[in-house]
Amino acid sequence: MWRNIPGEHIDYCGYSVLPMAVEQDMLIAVEPVKTHILQLANTNPLYPDFTTSANNIQIDKTKPLWHNYFLCGFKGIQEHFGLSDLTGMNCLVDGNIPPSSGLSSSSALVCCAGLLTLTVLGMSLSKVELAEICAKSERYIGTEGGGMDQSISFLAEEGTAKLIEFSPLRATDVKLPSGAVFVIANSCVEMNKAATSHFNIRVMECRLAAKLLAKHKSLPWKEVLRLEEVQAKLGISLEEMLLITEDALHPEPYSPEEICKCLGISLQELKTQILSPNTQDVLTFKLYQRAKHVYSEAARVLQFKKICEETPDNMVQLLGELMNQSHMSCRDMYECSCPELDQLVDICRKFGAQGSRLTGAGWGGCTVSIVPADKLSSFLANVHEAYYQRSNRSLAPEKESLFATKPGGGALVFLEA
């Protein structure tokens, strides 16, 4: 699994992110069989077995059941190569990533399924190609993500975080400070990305903001889909984009009718040509706040990388401040936090974290904190008592709820000799 240190909700807007893979993982044991039957089982009894034909994959967007994420990865490889007569497989899934924790267990399953399908079929792709296919195929289940989860899954290397850039997809090492540790803490509030409209509404608000900003600057707005494209077409800095956002958009929510008026289109055109099926009935869109978050968060990613490269004496403090700013923006501008995450962030800062923020899609899930190495043991003990023991929240085993981590490696295949 993997987590952004800064860079939340900006990959699908076209901006670079800075994740690291952490040490928890997902494993799938696979046995090719001569039938055309795909049999899936899970070591966790909460997830029932599933059987289907390998040549008739149906993914129900209305039900984000665990096996559908496997089918996304399988179907992605099948469609990429245009295969029709596929061999069957018996698969057993295991893992220690808490589900709906914001640590991308669903994306890990998509990527794992894609990699094992590729291997079983004897095909080969580069890590970049595989990441792009898995990012695209997760949309079969209705998640309009941007590709960060899948990219770090395959491009991660032990001992380093990565700056992941898109169009074209590429990764650059970012060396993290040696005197600090990153700690993941699970709020124990579950949020399933595909089961809620929050995530897809944010994707659409960013798209609408990009179109209105493009129209304001007399750009060909119909072809613009991402906020990054507006900046690229104007050839200006992120700071200048924040000023344009202040000038072009208002903080009050936009109605669909006002958006139509701004773009000079009909409500029917808005619904059929711009909005996704699951956002067509949304009554208000907050465009100013979403654009402000994206442009400021994209700037924080670049600042974080710069600090890591320059290694100033107060490096940990500076990185922590960026993480704190990121959480504030996620909470106030992107509105993807929740009371439990805010409480957990406050507790982490109180007991020694230089910076703490939500990580993942939000609305539940986990926080990531940067903690000086010499304060780690007292930090873990105090946070455990203040957040988990006092509220009886530790539903997951303790080591899955609160743990220090370091950058781990990407996806691997182990072949039985």
Side-chain angles (χ1 to χ4, degrees):
M1 70 190 191
W2 39 91
R3 217 48 281 145
N4 271 328
I5 309 165
E8 219 57 75
H9 286 283
I10 62 173
D11 57 339
Y12 52 79
C13 296
Y15 281 109
S16 306
V17 290
L18 209 159
M20 69 177 190
V22 301
E23 296 158 297
Q24 277 64 20
D25 56 17
M26 183 165 289
L27 306 169
I28 303 180
V30 58
E31 174 193 32
V33 292
K34 289 190 166 59
T35 66
H36 297 293
I37 300 299
L38 196 57
Q39 292 202 71
L40 308 179
N42 199 306
T43 56
N44 186 330
L46 289 175
Y47 304 115
D49 294 358
F50 179 77
T51 302
T52 188
S53 165
N55 295 309
N56 185 28
I57 299 297
Q58 304 289 327
I59 299 171
D60 185 351
K61 282 187 180 184
T62 64
K63 296 176 182 171
L65 301 170
W66 78 272
H67 62 258
N68 282 330
Y69 291 98
F70 182 101
L71 296 179
C72 284
F74 183 88
K75 186 174 179 179
I77 298 300
Q78 179 187 24
E79 293 203 340
H80 177 78
F81 288 104
L83 303 171
S84 56
D85 192 29
L86 287 176
T87 182
M89 294 188 279
N90 295 336
C91 301
L92 178 64
V93 178
D94 187 28
N96 55 2
I97 309 175
S100 300
S101 62
L103 295 173
S104 301
S105 56
S106 55
S107 295
L109 184 50
V110 174
C111 291
C112 209
L115 180 59
L116 78 83
T117 305
L118 189 73
T119 306
V120 167
L121 296 175
M123 305 288 192
S124 65
L125 290 168
S126 70
K127 288 180 178 181
V128 166
E129 288 171 319
L130 192 49
E132 287 177 332
I133 289 167
C134 288
K136 191 175 161 188
S137 65
E138 193 165 333
R139 291 169 197 161
Y140 293 137
I141 206 162
T143 303
E144 300 277 343
M148 182 282 293
D149 293 342
Q150 298 81 8
S151 302
I152 192 64
S153 175
F154 294 111
L155 302 175
E157 291 178 47
E158 202 166 329
T160 181
K162 293 278 186 180
L163 179 77
I164 304 280
E165 299 170 86
F166 303 96
S167 301
L169 180 59
R170 56 203 183 279
T172 310
D173 289 359
V174 176
K175 187 170 170 29
L176 298 172
S178 54
V181 179
F182 288 93
V183 177
I184 304 292
N186 190 347
S187 70
C188 300
V189 176
E190 289 194 2
M191 179 272 181
N192 186 311
K193 254 191 314 201
T196 176
S197 61
H198 291 313
F199 184 87
N200 289 332
I201 291 171
R202 293 298 180 278
V203 175
M204 196 50 58
E205 286 173 320
C206 291
R207 182 174 298 176
L208 292 168
K211 289 184 180 295
L212 263 67
L213 289 169
K215 182 89 188 302
H216 178 77
K217 299 304 286 186
S218 302
L219 296 172
W221 63 267
K222 285 188 177 180
E223 62 193 52
V224 169
L225 293 176
R226 297 184 177 92
L227 286 164
E228 185 275 337
E229 293 168 29
V230 183
Q231 185 199 357
K233 286 177 188 297
L234 294 174
I236 60 176
S237 69
L238 286 161
E239 289 70 26
E240 287 171 299
M241 280 310 309
L242 283 164
L243 293 174
I244 288 173
T245 301
E246 293 281 351
D247 187 39
L249 302 175
H250 56 66
E252 298 78 26
Y254 286 75
S255 68
E257 290 77 12
E258 185 180 2
I259 291 167
C260 290
K261 189 177 174 185
C262 292
L263 296 178
I265 59 173
S266 69
L267 201 54
Q268 184 64 19
E269 285 174 306
L270 175 69
K271 289 191 173 185
T272 57
Q273 296 175 21
I274 299 176
L275 298 182
S276 57
N278 49 16
T279 58
Q280 289 181 2
D281 297 324
V282 177
L283 299 177
T284 59
F285 297 93
K286 292 188 177 181
L287 308 188
Y288 167 87
Q289 292 86 343
R290 311 317 182 214
K292 287 266 287 188
H293 167 77
V294 170
Y295 289 130
S296 63
E297 186 78 347
R300 281 186 284 273
V301 168
L302 301 180
Q303 290 167 341
F304 197 99
K305 178 176 181 277
K306 188 166 181 270
I307 292 166
C308 287
E309 288 169 344
E310 293 176 352
T311 64
D313 290 342
N314 60 340
M315 180 178 180
V316 175
Q317 179 195 334
L318 292 174
L319 297 179
E321 285 170 5
L322 287 174
M323 292 172 68
N324 290 337
Q325 289 168 19
S326 175
H327 183 77
M328 201 183 311
S329 183
C330 285
R331 182 191 68 203
D332 300 336
M333 290 286 115
Y334 221 71
E335 296 178 279
C336 61
S337 189
C338 67
E340 293 85 355
L341 279 173
D342 295 337
Q343 182 194 3
L344 185 50
V345 160
D346 289 344
I347 287 170
C348 289
R349 290 176 190 160
K350 178 182 175 182
F351 290 116
Q354 290 286 300
S356 186
R357 58 179 291 271
L358 67 83
T359 186
W363 300 286
C366 291
T367 63
V368 59
S369 303
I370 186 169
V371 181
D374 58 356
K375 291 185 178 175
L376 178 62
S377 56
S378 63
F379 173 83
L380 292 172
N382 286 325
V383 171
H384 184 257
E385 182 187 352
Y387 187 77
Y388 298 99
Q389 283 186 333
R390 284 187 191 172
S391 59
N392 198 26
R393 268 199 190 94
S394 198
L395 304 173
E398 185 181 337
K399 66 178 184 295
E400 290 182 14
S401 297
L402 180 68
F403 56 88
T405 189
K406 54 184 186 286
L412 295 168
V413 175
F414 296 94
L415 295 174
E416 190 177 29

